[in-house]
Amino acid sequence: MTTLENARALLATGPLCNSCLGRPFADRSFGLTNAERGRALRTTIALADDTDYEPDDPETCWVCEGYCGTFDAIADTIVDALGNVHFETYQVGTQVSPLVEENDRLLREDAGLDPEVGESLKREMNREVGRRVGAKSGAEVDFDRPDVLAVIDLDGFDSFEALESDSVTSHAVDVQINPAFVYGRYRKLERDIPQTEWPCRECGGSGVQLGDDGEEPCDYCGGSGYMYDTSVEQVVRPHVVEAMDGDEGTFHGAGREDVDARMLEEGRPFVLEVKRPRERTPDVAALESEINEAAAGAVEVEGLRLATYEMVERVKEHDASKHYRADVEFGEPVEEGDFEAALEELRGTTVEQETPQRVDHRRAALTRERTVYDAEGELREPTQAEVRIHGEGGLYIKELISSDEGRTVPSLAGLLETDAVVTALDVTGVEGESEPFEVEAYFRDEPRSDE
């Protein structure tokens, strides 16, 4: 059958609005809306038959039951719902009632057409409402990871009431605001600061315990609910969440150093994820200064940038090597030649490490192989030295020094045949094994001019 014959068959099923008439021909004449296709077909048939042109309004359409006349009203509701939210990309989705979906299928079947020909009402609704949202907001559609997602529920409003009032209730639209991300590196300049919040193990973070007279402050944490007074997360998160006007934030680090270790020099990569941000483009340079001033020298952040959601996975999964500086104390005096020979032995070797005793309560019992890329140091006194290690990610440095009662082989203690313990540890570098963490594809902003 020709296109006009198919159009006649569709019109014979009952009153159709132009969108529903044009939708079965959505794969023809690129650049037209379905309503324009339907209007053109209706006009052509009227001219060919020399009959009066009689359009059918959406409220009389037996297929969409008026919903195709609500595109503008739905778009207005979505834009109003996002009135206090800054967004640059968006996506629109639609939940179509089963009855209307059935009507859409029956239209094609009754006209003798393939039930899958053209496009569905859902796709048309997404596109037409989405196009209007973009025009009203100035944002761009993004089908992969939009800043906001608006889901329309056609069962959530009466189409005929909407056509009469030219408005749609906000209850029919569910607006989802996707998280925003800020990347940076942190330095931890004081010891005994964990990377993330560390709730008290005794009170579970509540800060209270049961006493003879009822609830009282927890003895273990002093009522704070935390094992430590602060953390890198607690220093950074509130400022970023406030700057982005979000609801809450989550800290993601590229690994973590021991609580008693400092993180120095270029710092450790991290991403702060902000949930339901209403501002996505804060002044990151000003934010960086604000955080550093509030931290008062205990923690510093550097290189803050707006990042994509893929940066979270990159920070958590990207293979990285680490640089360490350790103060070491030996159980017996060590000769300088033996010390240098032991470092030479460690340099470039692959060690086997059983899960250290200090973490075996929270780590699986495994034997890990890790490479020591470089080992240097100076013997300050016969029983004291500074050791600098560049190692593969996951290398336990304290155990590389001490041997952990033979659980790490080889080790500095084992090679020197004396006890060795790390008395102070600093992480001096975290760098990607194959490429840097900071790749432009993972950022949403331009490189900062002040960096």
Side-chain angles (χ1 to χ4, degrees):
M1 294 176 66
T2 67
T3 298
L4 281 182
E5 289 173 332
N6 286 332
R8 291 179 190 275
L10 290 165
L11 287 170
T13 65
L16 295 177
C17 67
N18 286 332
S19 290
C20 288
L21 175 59
R23 197 158 53 252
F25 307 100
D27 57 352
R28 301 178 67 87
S29 299
F30 178 77
L32 296 174
T33 66
N34 289 331
E36 289 170 340
R37 292 185 181 94
R39 186 180 302 109
L41 290 168
R42 199 186 301 272
T43 301
T44 301
I45 292 172
L47 289 170
D49 295 347
D50 192 17
T51 58
D52 293 340
Y53 177 81
E54 297 181 354
D56 282 319
D57 295 326
E59 61 261 32
T60 65
C61 179
W62 74 270
V63 177
C64 73
E65 298 185 343
Y67 285 108
C68 286
T70 63
F71 296 152
D72 286 304
I74 295 173
D76 287 340
T77 298
I78 292 173
V79 173
D80 288 345
L82 293 169
N84 67 339
V85 177
H86 171 245
F87 62 101
E88 297 176 351
T89 60
Y90 71 95
Q91 184 181 354
V92 172
T94 307
Q95 295 177 346
V96 179
S97 66
L99 177 60
V100 173
E101 283 189 330
E102 178 72 3
N103 290 348
D104 214 18
R105 184 184 63 81
L106 289 175
L107 168 66
R108 291 159 174 77
E109 289 185 355
D110 291 351
L113 302 179
D114 183 339
E116 303 299 325
V117 71
E119 74 174 351
S120 65
L121 175 60
K122 175 184 290 189
R123 290 190 62 184
E124 180 175 22
M125 182 72 69
N126 293 344
R127 184 185 63 257
E128 291 300 323
V129 173
R131 183 166 60 87
R132 289 161 170 80
V133 169
K136 293 174 184 292
S137 66
E140 296 183 358
V141 67
D142 182 347
F143 296 112
D144 295 325
R145 183 74 180 187
D147 293 341
V148 297
L149 168 65
V151 179
I152 309 159
D153 181 6
L154 296 189
D155 277 339
F157 68 100
D158 185 287
S159 59
F160 301 114
E161 291 181 1
L163 289 171
E164 184 176 348
S165 65
D166 196 28
S167 64
V168 169
T169 173
S170 60
H171 299 301
V173 176
D174 179 24
V175 172
Q176 302 172 22
I177 304 173
N178 282 326
F181 307 88
V182 173
Y183 170 87
R185 284 176 177 259
Y186 74 82
R187 287 185 288 273
K188 197 175 73 177
L189 306 178
E190 295 181 2
R191 305 191 189 280
D192 296 323
I193 299 177
Q195 183 189 88
T196 55
E197 290 182 340
W198 196 324
C200 173
R201 65 171 65 97
E202 295 298 318
C203 66
S206 68
V208 298
Q209 63 184 16
L210 289 177
D212 294 337
D213 299 322
E215 290 187 348
E216 57 186 34
C218 173
D219 289 335
Y220 201 77
C221 66
S224 69
Y226 295 101
M227 297 291 293
Y228 295 88
D229 292 338
T230 189
S231 65
V232 177
E233 178 181 20
Q234 288 166 280
V235 168
V236 174
R237 183 185 60 205
H239 299 279
V240 179
V241 172
E242 181 179 3
M244 304 187 89
D245 194 13
D247 289 349
E248 57 182 315
T250 302
F251 191 96
H252 306 281
R256 65 176 67 220
E257 64 284 334
D258 291 339
V259 172
D260 60 353
R262 295 183 299 181
M263 179 69 241
L264 305 178
E265 299 193 15
E266 293 185 356
R268 185 182 296 273
F270 73 92
V271 173
L272 202 292
E273 177 181 354
V274 179
K275 308 293 179 62
R276 291 187 62 81
R278 285 164 281 276
E279 171 56 57
R280 307 187 83 91
T281 57
D283 183 335
V284 288
L287 178 58
E288 186 175 296
S289 298
E290 178 185 313
I291 293 170
N292 291 339
E293 183 178 352
V299 173
E300 290 179 351
V301 297
E302 184 177 69
L304 295 190
R305 292 188 63 182
L306 306 179
T308 66
Y309 79 99
E310 291 97 342
M311 184 58 94
V312 173
E313 181 177 1
R314 183 170 182 81
V315 161
K316 296 174 73 171
E317 303 295 336
H318 190 48
D319 290 335
S321 66
K322 316 291 173 57
H323 294 261
Y324 299 87
R325 190 209 66 81
D327 291 336
V328 179
E329 186 170 316
F330 300 112
E332 298 176 1
V334 172
E335 296 289 336
E336 186 166 344
D338 293 338
F339 176 69
E340 292 178 353
L343 292 179
E344 177 65 28
E345 183 74 18
L346 289 177
R347 196 174 297 132
T349 194
T350 297
V351 301
E352 292 188 354
Q353 293 190 306
E354 296 180 35
T355 301
Q357 298 178 72
R358 63 188 172 92
V359 298
D360 62 5
H361 61 286
R362 64 177 188 271
R363 300 282 175 86
L366 299 173
T367 299
R368 301 169 176 84
E369 291 188 347
R370 295 293 186 268
T371 301
V372 180
Y373 297 137
D374 197 11
E376 298 179 336
E378 290 82 33
L379 192 64
R380 294 171 173 169
E381 297 180 13
T383 58
Q384 293 182 0
E386 176 181 301
V387 175
R388 295 180 296 278
I389 302 291
H390 179 202
E392 183 180 359
L395 176 67
Y396 290 106
I397 298 302
K398 290 178 179 177
E399 286 68 29
L400 179 68
I401 301 297
S402 71
S403 91
D404 194 25
E405 298 182 0
R407 298 163 71 90
T408 291
V409 180
S411 67
L412 184 62
L415 293 170
L416 292 173
E417 297 183 349
T418 186
D419 291 340
V421 62
V422 173
T423 58
L425 181 66
D426 297 329
V427 185
T428 57
V430 178
E431 58 188 36
E433 291 273 15
S434 58
E435 63 179 17
F437 283 88
E438 298 85 353
V439 174
E440 287 303 309
Y442 294 92
F443 295 110
R444 296 188 62 164
D445 57 5
E446 297 296 323
R448 285 168 47 186
S449 58
D450 61 328
E451 288 295 318

